Amino acid sequence: MIALRAMPMVLALISASGAGEPWPRHTIDSSSRGADGVKLLDFNGDGLEDVVVGWEEGGLTRLCLHPGVQRVRAPWPAVTVGPAPNVEDATPVDLDGNGTADVVSCCEGRTRTVFVHWGPEDEEQLLTPTAWTTEPLPESVNRMAWMFCVPMQVDGRRGVDLVAAGKGPGAEIGWFESPGDPRDLAAWKWHPLGPVGWVMSIQCRDLDGDGDRDILYSDRRGSQRGIHWFENPSAAATAWPRRTVGGADREVMFLAVGDLDGDGTDDVTCAVKSKPILFLQGKTPGLAWRAHEITMPQGFGGGKGVAVGDLDGDGRSEVVFSCESAVGERSGVGRLVFDGFPTGDAYMVDNVGGPEGIKFDRLELRDVDRDGDLDVLCCEERESMGDRLGGLGVFWYENRQRRTLETVR
């Protein structure tokens, strides 16, 4: 006897002005080529987060300052903080502890170097290119193709350290130890944690509830692929035990951490290349994960990034996802609102991005316009701009408040 599975009910979100209408898109910066990832930090202390982006094809890293609510829908004031050939990731961090944020750029290709862009101490000079100084981190030079970096106080000593990883032959995940004088870049020391194939995400958070931060990451290629985390050992230990969350049989992309099922325990949600979104349900913190699949809706590209948050204010988390290969009429950014447990294809689909754009990247959810709801920040690097591939640049989608639901069977 063959068991027949009941066809799930799929819901579609429809705006008041038409089915599947994209959210308004506001450009932050489109001055270069190949915008590759967005990260945020308040650089000037005005209480508004600013945006740092590496431009891979442009070979540079830029800072965009939030202009205030009145001008937030226009392009933001921006500055090139320094050259960064083949940049894959740009991370804001006060590396020397002087109260002024700096930027760290991870570069792949032939560059294979991590660069530090030292920020000006005078906040009035943030938008002055010559006030920024760029230096390579010697321990990083030609060690691997660098893909991602996040700040973390790893050893409990001196300044903030850097957790970083790369891709390709000889790639590792590990951390750079800050010396007594963080400005002395030659004194930084690299500590490998393990081999990797192609790291997409790194998050530093307390996964096992023991009071210290662990290292969670997604690795998309090779024998080490999957979603794993390194458990922070005691201060006297040197080895970081590696635990697997899931996805070892998938090409996992960017991940997000958040309580997707509303049970009070953080879950891990991860985009998968050309496959369903992977939902790893957390049961016991850091120790037990149950894998579920969330079907990618039709009319979108292949999975690239995910973010988890409550965008409609109903107290339940939703998934926002980004895509690559969003060619033709396919959309590159969408939102899923779940009809019950977040798995399968029982959800409402919100077409956030529309058909413009081909290759989207990391997502961040923030209340950019300060109107009380979460907006979506992203970047796109492959949209055709006349006779060249220039990309849509860096932008944010404005959250729409009015919704009309229509049931589609």
Side-chain angles (χ1 to χ4, degrees):
M1 178 180 294
I2 300 176
L4 298 178
R5 183 173 65 91
M7 184 65 67
M9 179 177 66
V10 180
L11 303 177
L13 272 173
I14 298 179
S15 71
S17 55
E21 180 187 356
W23 291 18
R25 186 182 75 243
H26 306 290
T27 299
I28 292 174
D29 187 16
S30 59
S31 62
S32 189
R33 296 178 296 114
D36 207 352
V38 294
K39 290 186 176 179
L40 296 95
L41 187 72
D42 180 4
F43 274 73
N44 54 9
D46 64 356
L48 301 169
E49 286 186 301
D50 310 303
V51 175
V52 169
V53 180
W55 296 80
E56 184 175 5
E57 280 72 27
L60 48 86
T61 295
R62 284 174 63 78
L63 163 67
C64 305
L65 293 182
H66 194 299
V69 173
Q70 298 302 317
R71 296 189 59 247
V72 73
R73 293 170 182 82
W76 296 10
V79 62
T80 297
V81 302
N86 309 116
V87 60
E88 271 291 329
D89 176 72
T91 299
V93 53
D94 182 3
L95 204 59
D96 55 5
N98 68 350
T100 302
D102 313 296
V103 180
V104 176
S105 292
C106 291
C107 300
E108 58 154 345
R110 295 182 179 181
T111 307
R112 296 167 60 88
T113 298
V114 175
F115 292 97
V116 177
H117 312 282
W118 299 109
E121 293 190 16
D122 182 1
E123 292 177 357
E124 298 297 322
Q125 297 295 310
L126 280 173
L127 295 177
T128 303
T130 55
W132 291 81
T133 304
T134 298
E135 296 182 278
L137 188 61
E139 272 277 88
S140 74
V141 177
N142 206 34
R143 183 178 290 274
M144 69 187 83
W146 295 97
M147 297 298 292
F148 209 85
C149 173
V150 294
M152 174 179 170
Q153 178 50 260
V154 177
D155 56 5
R157 303 186 303 159
R158 301 189 288 267
V160 65
D161 309 299
L162 295 172
V163 179
K167 77 172 185 179
E172 299 172 315
I173 184 170
W175 58 285
F176 289 102
E177 178 186 350
S178 176
D181 177 11
R183 285 269 181 169
D184 181 8
L185 292 182
W188 286 71
K189 183 179 180 182
W190 173 249
H191 298 276
L193 293 177
V196 294
W198 183 341
V199 165
M200 293 293 292
S201 290
I202 303 174
Q203 290 199 21
C204 300
R205 55 177 59 236
D206 184 4
L207 288 173
D208 51 7
D210 65 354
D212 56 31
R213 293 205 293 172
D214 310 296
I215 299 172
L216 173 71
Y217 68 100
S218 58
D219 186 355
R220 67 184 285 188
R221 294 276 180 88
S223 61
Q224 307 294 322
R225 74 176 184 176
I227 302 168
H228 312 284
W229 63 285
F230 283 101
E231 182 182 352
N232 197 332
S234 64
T238 57
W240 289 58
R242 194 188 80 156
R243 319 292 188 192
T244 296
V245 177
D249 58 341
R250 313 294 176 90
E251 187 170 355
V252 291
M253 307 294 273
F254 290 111
L255 62 79
V257 178
D259 184 8
L260 186 57
D261 57 4
D263 67 352
T265 301
D266 276 343
D267 311 301
V268 175
T269 306
C270 189
V272 178
K273 186 177 178 67
S274 303
K275 297 287 184 179
I277 295 169
L278 192 59
F279 164 43
L280 296 155
Q281 183 186 20
K283 302 305 292 181
T284 303
L287 302 176
W289 308 86
R290 184 177 180 183
H292 305 275
E293 291 184 352
I294 300 171
T295 305
M296 280 287 288
Q298 294 182 357
F300 291 83
K304 183 67 178 289
V306 290
V308 174
D310 179 12
L311 284 85
D312 57 13
D314 67 352
R316 297 182 298 177
S317 292
E318 306 125 48
V319 169
V320 180
F321 63 92
S322 66
C323 302
E324 56 187 17
S325 303
V327 296
E329 294 302 310
R330 293 184 178 182
S331 179
V333 180
R335 181 173 72 107
L336 304 179
V337 182
F338 298 97
D339 180 28
F341 190 78
T343 189
D345 50 6
Y347 48 60
M348 295 174 285
V349 184
D350 200 354
N351 182 7
V352 174
E356 291 188 308
I358 297 171
K359 185 180 180 183
F360 294 80
D361 210 82
R362 291 187 70 248
L363 296 159
E364 292 284 355
L365 305 181
R366 296 289 196 280
D367 185 3
V368 180
D369 52 6
R370 295 300 179 96
D371 66 349
D373 56 32
L374 292 174
D375 307 296
V376 179
L377 290 107
C378 194
C379 61
E380 194 277 335
E381 55 180 314
R382 285 293 183 271
E383 177 63 90
S384 177
M385 307 290 284
D387 60 352
R388 67 182 180 89
L389 291 175
L392 299 178
V394 188
F395 49 84
W396 61 283
Y397 293 110
E398 185 173 355
N399 194 342
R400 302 168 301 166
Q401 290 297 296
R402 300 181 63 183
R403 299 285 188 272
T404 301
L405 300 183
E406 176 180 84
T407 300
V408 180
R409 296 187 182 275

